[in-house]
Amino acid sequence: MFETIWQDIRLAVRTLRGSPLFTLTAVLSLAVGIAGTAVIFAVVDAYLLRPWPGIADPARLVEIGRIDSGEGPGPSTADGFSTFSYPNYQDYLDRQTVLASFAASRTGEAVGLGDGVRATRVPGAYVSSNYFSVLGAPMALGRGFLPEDESLTSPATVAIISHRLWRSQFQSDGNVIGRNVQLNGRPFTIVGVASAGFNGHDIALTSIWIPLTGFPDGDNMRRFARRGQQWLMGIGRLKEGVSAAQARAEMTRIASDLAREYPDDNRRHGLGVEPSAALPVDGRSPITRFLALFSVLIGLVLLIACTNVGGMVLARGVNRAREMAVRLALGAERRRLVRLLITESVVVALAGAALGLLLAWEAIALLGRLVPIFRIELTYDVQLDWRVTAFSIGVAVLTVIACGLLPAVQATRIDLSSAMKPTASSGPKRLRARQVLLAVQVALSMLLVISALLLGRSLRNANAIDPGFMLDGVDVAGFDLRLGGYGPTARAALFDRLMSRVQALPGLESAALVRVVPLTLEREGGRVWLSSERGDDHAITVSRNFVSPDYFRLFRIPLLRGRVFDERDRAGAPEVAIINETMANRWWPGRDPVGQLLVQGVSRRPLQIVGVVRDTKYRSIGEDPTPFVYISAAQTNESVMRLLLRANGRSLLPQVRAIVAELDPNLPLVYASTLTDLTAIGLVPHRLASWLAAAVAIDAAFLAGMGIYGLAAYNASQRTREIGVRVALGALRRQVMQLIIAGAAVPIVIGAAIGLLAASLVTTLLAGMLYGVQPRDPVAFLGGAAVYVAVALIATLFPARRAASVNLVEALRAE
């Protein structure tokens, strides 16, 4: 048995070596499809199938959060969840009977980690003292949190760090337990190191954990203890025999009781209880929907590769008809020949899988390098492990067997007398099958090419949009003074010292402080009322930014009326604002808005309009003109600000880093980059989509071209005698070439028509990613058609030329 299989493998390898063009094309086609499939499965495995490491029995974990009942505004998060307060958490903990344990947390928080010499921004989480015991997460070193670490009267200043942070920041120091560090400007003691691989219970990367009561002090502590301060999410472990539905019902009842007992602080009722993110996420998750879309795209590539391989196997079967006939005449069993042909397909599949896995390895590494570029603090544990490898090999083998089984069976069902002749016809059935495969290839490829052209034209339009200000030559340094423990008074003093030092730097043209950097997808906004009229009819929602006086000069934003901010607009002075021309034209058409009053929605402080500036792009390059308000940064005292610098052709970021280190070595920079790089982040999804679509479309067009070439060559080989007769009767070379090209035209035209129809329906899904291009843009559709006219002409030209050059005597002797 094994000896026979080994003989089949050796014979298959020898046969494939004798057809290098077929083997190379089939392996490359499969490698591209398998690489994409392996990458998508690795991502799905990491985020949807594999539980987070370091968590015991994740099947019993549930996430707990309040659900909006539609009774007014309130804090909320994605997927219908919102938050609850610390007093509510304590009541849930005391009253519930369905959870074996229940912890509260707030993840995704930035923490400034300093050692007195330098500071680093790390992702952190505030957690209740029982957080690690609820998750069943052991410590690699030290201990977890104790109940006394979570105290409102005397909060403990202790912290637990991740295994990753212990290796990178503390060089795997075995004596790290008991070490003192600065966290947000306050002294903390490291009491534990989490186990290797543990990053918390959700997708957000966490490097340090602090007890819930560890940071708040003074007035913050009083707010912390208020029932109306909604800021926590829960993670619970179900008791044995309790379902998530039962837990949901009881927690909803408790939430309703609290809403009745504390109506002013609990205006909404209902509490969500869902399987934890430590388990596979459901179909409502954004990451699930993205992976589903990506899977469809990769599936199209794999399908095109499959049809291409199937078409080549069919064509190769024609050329091997005489070989199969000889084997059958010598007594070979048809079953053995089918097995031999399937073995060849498996060998091709394994070679394609091996090359595809190598490509996937590089793609996964590239994704890992791209994650930090997006400034996303995300747990990235995508691996090309044995499960992904086995899945990829299985897909490759099944794909090739599916493509090659029918051709293999057909290849052994031949008429011996006709097949033994020098040129045998395989009949119309095989031709029709190959035409159907080719039409499918052309249709799918046409769809991908049109999509790529749409995204490419959109990206070109986006890059050509005038943002309304000068992007080039600006450096940006991000600050979050909460990471240094600064209060309101200290914040203003630090920014004053920083600006005085920065403005003395040689070569500086202008410098400005700003709350939100434009075109980085960040947003500040709120409701304002025109003048003192407080009715809802006069309320408008606007975007806003807090900027220092030199902001408009740095960006070269023209002043249309009034003045810009200056030294008069300081803390304690009457508060002022500058609006854009869209807001001026919409609310004061034909009038000068300078001198008019706006009333802010939350603070109800009046703002006097002192100027009108030109419209610019604010959040993204493709947005429509929107009302916008600029507020003097000196009158707001924000803790999160960005420093913008324009110098004479050189970067001043190294000097800024040195200044910050001198002012406060325990204050980390959130980031330091050029504005061009930061604003490019807003177009990263579109660039990735365009590049991916272009790569897939090029591959699809190449595969379709190979299919067209194979069909034309197959058609020419079947009509050799006919061509000889036509030439003998006086047919011209040009006419012979037209005959071969016309033979491949029918499936190409049908496939192109189907592809155009499919594109007109499918490309509407891309509408949200297009700038200045309609989903049914005629240029893209005509461009896609033109691409396939060129591909078809090139692919059919070579077999047509070869057919037109056939030897007349050889052609007439063909039977």
Side-chain angles (χ1 to χ4, degrees):
M1 175 69 176
F2 292 105
E3 183 178 353
T4 303
I5 294 175
W6 179 242
Q7 288 177 350
D8 288 345
I9 292 175
R10 287 188 299 176
L11 181 58
V13 171
R14 186 164 63 246
T15 303
L16 290 172
R17 288 176 59 186
S19 305
L21 181 60
F22 164 80
T23 305
L24 180 61
T25 306
V27 169
L28 288 177
S29 300
L30 282 174
V32 173
I34 295 303
T37 305
V39 171
I40 192 63
F41 181 76
V43 176
V44 168
D45 182 53
Y47 292 113
L48 304 185
L49 303 180
R50 193 187 336 141
W52 302 136
I55 296 178
D57 194 12
R60 292 170 52 205
L61 290 179
V62 289
E63 290 192 21
I64 302 166
R66 293 168 57 88
I67 294 181
D68 189 354
S69 66
E71 299 180 8
S76 64
T77 62
D79 296 329
F81 279 95
S82 70
T83 52
F84 49 80
S85 65
Y86 187 73
N88 277 355
Y89 160 64
Q90 292 177 313
D91 282 333
Y92 292 137
L93 194 60
D94 294 337
R95 301 184 188 187
Q96 66 84 24
T97 61
V98 291
L99 301 175
S101 52
F102 176 25
S105 67
R106 183 175 180 89
T107 60
E109 295 293 317
V111 176
L113 171 62
D115 56 7
V117 178
R118 61 189 179 91
T120 307
R121 178 180 179 269
V122 297
Y126 308 149
V127 299
S128 56
S129 60
N130 61 344
Y131 177 78
F132 290 92
S133 61
V134 169
L135 296 178
M139 293 292 112
L141 295 174
R143 65 170 176 87
F145 293 133
L146 303 174
E148 53 265 31
D149 293 332
E150 183 186 335
S151 170
L152 290 174
T153 56
S154 56
T157 54
V158 295
I160 294 173
I161 62 175
S162 70
H163 202 272
R164 179 189 288 109
L165 186 67
W166 176 59
R167 294 196 315 268
S168 62
Q169 194 78 10
F170 298 93
Q171 292 76 48
S172 302
D173 182 6
N175 298 317
V176 72
I177 303 302
R179 182 168 172 176
N180 293 322
V181 293
Q182 293 282 325
L183 300 181
N184 288 9
R186 295 177 55 201
F188 277 72
T189 302
I190 297 175
V191 297
V193 177
S195 59
F198 179 77
N199 289 296
H201 70 282
D202 58 21
I203 197 172
L205 178 65
T206 304
S207 294
I208 194 163
W209 293 269
I210 302 107
L212 288 177
T213 57
F215 274 139
D217 57 0
D219 187 55
N220 287 331
M221 181 62 74
R222 287 191 291 272
R223 289 201 299 269
F224 178 88
R226 291 175 185 167
R227 192 172 294 274
Q229 291 294 120
Q230 315 285 346
W231 65 294
L232 295 173
M233 295 288 290
I235 183 76
R237 184 174 292 277
L238 296 172
K239 289 183 176 179
E240 291 288 348
V242 176
S243 67
Q246 292 173 310
R248 186 182 305 114
E250 178 170 282
M251 300 303 280
T252 299
R253 178 186 59 77
I254 297 173
S256 299
D257 292 342
L258 293 176
R260 288 192 298 269
E261 295 170 19
Y262 307 98
D264 293 337
D265 295 321
N266 293 289
R267 296 179 60 192
R268 295 182 293 179
H269 63 81
L271 201 69
V273 177
E274 302 292 340
S276 170
L279 289 171
V281 298
D282 60 33
R284 297 170 300 172
S285 167
I287 188 172
T288 304
R289 293 192 293 267
F290 170 77
L291 290 176
L293 180 62
F294 191 29
S295 299
V296 170
L297 184 61
I298 295 301
L300 288 177
V301 177
L302 188 60
L303 181 58
I304 293 172
C306 182
T307 56
N308 191 60
V309 173
M312 288 188 295
V313 170
L314 276 174
R316 190 163 178 262
V318 175
N319 296 329
R320 301 183 68 184
R322 196 162 185 267
E323 173 195 343
M324 295 295 107
V326 170
R327 291 176 180 270
L328 289 170
L330 293 177
E333 296 181 356
R334 293 182 186 271
R335 183 176 58 183
R336 177 66 186 278
L337 292 181
V338 170
R339 191 176 69 191
L340 176 62
L341 294 175
I342 293 298
T343 303
E344 292 181 12
S345 297
V346 171
V347 171
V348 170
L350 293 177
L355 180 57
L357 288 172
L358 287 176
L359 296 175
W361 185 284
E362 293 297 325
I364 289 172
L366 177 62
L367 285 175
R369 292 192 292 270
L370 287 177
V371 168
I373 296 176
F374 300 152
R375 293 190 289 127
I376 299 174
E377 290 168 340
L378 179 72
T379 301
Y380 185 80
D381 190 28
V382 181
Q383 302 174 6
L384 198 64
D385 57 15
W386 69 267
R387 298 176 357 142
V388 178
T389 302
F391 174 82
S392 302
I393 293 175
V395 168
V397 172
L398 290 176
T399 298
V400 173
I401 290 178
C403 295
L405 181 59
L406 180 60
V409 173
Q410 287 183 343
T412 61
R413 293 178 177 174
I414 56 179
D415 180 72
L416 295 182
S417 62
S418 61
M420 295 295 290
K421 297 178 181 179
T423 302
S425 174
S426 61
K429 289 185 178 180
R430 197 168 290 181
L431 178 60
R432 284 197 298 270
R434 186 145 171 76
Q435 288 176 329
V436 170
L437 288 175
L438 179 60
V440 171
Q441 275 188 282
V442 171
L444 293 175
S445 302
M446 178 76 77
L447 171 62
L448 293 175
V449 167
I450 291 174
S451 299
L453 290 174
L454 281 172
L455 292 171
R457 281 173 52 76
S458 172
L459 184 61
R460 187 195 65 179
N461 292 342
N463 287 325
I465 292 176
D466 179 14
F469 56 88
M470 290 186 61
L471 281 170
D472 297 336
V474 177
D475 291 328
V476 185
F479 293 88
D480 185 348
L481 298 192
R482 294 173 299 183
L483 305 186
Y486 285 82
T489 304
R491 288 198 296 262
L494 179 70
F495 280 133
D496 285 341
R497 294 198 304 272
L498 174 67
M499 291 303 291
S500 64
R501 294 282 299 273
V502 168
Q503 288 169 346
L505 291 174
L508 178 73
E509 291 184 9
S510 54
L513 285 172
V514 57
R515 173 64 182 85
V516 175
V517 180
L519 301 187
T520 56
L521 304 181
E522 295 179 338
R523 185 180 184 275
E524 276 281 336
R527 303 182 78 192
V528 298
W529 281 261
L530 306 180
S531 187
S532 59
E533 300 172 353
R534 299 289 299 175
D536 286 342
D537 291 342
H538 296 87
I540 58 174
T541 300
V542 299
S543 297
R544 67 185 180 187
N545 206 351
F546 308 127
V547 303
S548 64
D550 273 354
Y551 176 85
F552 304 99
R553 183 166 69 92
L554 183 143
F555 275 143
R556 314 289 200 266
I557 300 176
L559 177 68
L560 304 180
R561 298 187 187 91
R563 67 174 178 88
V564 296
F565 300 134
D566 56 31
E567 292 299 322
R568 292 172 289 179
D569 307 316
R570 304 287 297 176
E575 296 188 39
V576 296
I578 296 171
I579 64 174
N580 68 342
E581 56 184 320
T582 291
M583 186 168 178
N585 295 334
R586 183 172 302 178
W587 299 105
W588 293 276
R591 293 186 293 157
D592 187 355
V594 174
Q596 300 291 329
L597 290 179
L598 299 174
V599 178
Q600 297 189 74
V602 176
S603 64
R604 301 193 177 185
R605 298 194 309 271
L607 296 171
Q608 184 180 37
I609 299 173
V610 297
V612 179
V613 296
R614 177 191 171 189
D615 283 344
T616 66
K617 300 294 183 180
Y618 304 107
R619 190 166 184 262
S620 66
I621 196 70
E623 67 186 9
D624 295 326
T626 181
F628 201 89
V629 177
Y630 298 93
I631 300 173
S632 174
Q635 296 180 322
T636 58
N637 199 11
E638 293 287 313
S639 60
V640 178
M641 298 293 287
R642 318 311 189 195
L643 174 64
L644 307 178
L645 306 104
R646 186 183 294 278
N648 294 324
R650 63 192 185 94
S651 175
L652 296 178
L653 289 177
Q655 291 91 319
V656 171
R657 290 182 184 274
I659 291 172
V660 173
E662 290 178 17
L663 294 176
D664 186 350
N666 289 316
L667 176 66
L669 284 178
V670 176
Y671 58 81
S673 178
T674 66
L675 183 60
T676 302
D677 289 342
L678 286 180
T679 55
I681 292 174
L683 289 176
V684 161
H686 305 84
R687 284 196 171 96
L688 286 178
S690 298
W691 296 340
L692 179 62
V696 170
I698 291 172
D699 181 64
F702 171 77
L703 293 176
M706 293 294 296
I708 295 170
Y709 171 85
L711 179 64
Y714 172 80
N715 189 28
S717 68
Q718 296 299 295
R719 305 178 71 174
T720 303
R721 180 175 175 79
E722 176 190 348
I723 292 171
V725 172
R726 288 177 179 271
V727 172
L729 295 176
L732 300 177
R733 178 184 175 90
R734 172 175 55 83
Q735 293 172 321
V736 173
M737 293 180 64
Q738 290 175 348
L739 179 69
I740 299 303
I741 294 174
V746 173
I748 295 172
V749 171
I750 293 175
I754 296 174
L756 289 171
L757 178 61
S760 67
L761 299 175
V762 174
T763 52
T764 55
L765 301 176
L766 301 175
M769 301 185 66
L770 302 180
Y771 292 132
V773 180
Q774 296 300 317
R776 295 171 181 170
D777 177 53
V779 175
F781 277 69
L782 291 175
V787 166
Y788 271 92
V789 168
V791 169
L793 286 176
I794 294 173
T796 55
L797 182 62
F798 292 101
R801 286 170 59 91
R802 187 166 59 250
S805 303
V806 67
N807 184 282
L808 181 60
V809 176
E810 294 289 338
L812 291 175
R813 290 174 58 188
E815 188 64 37

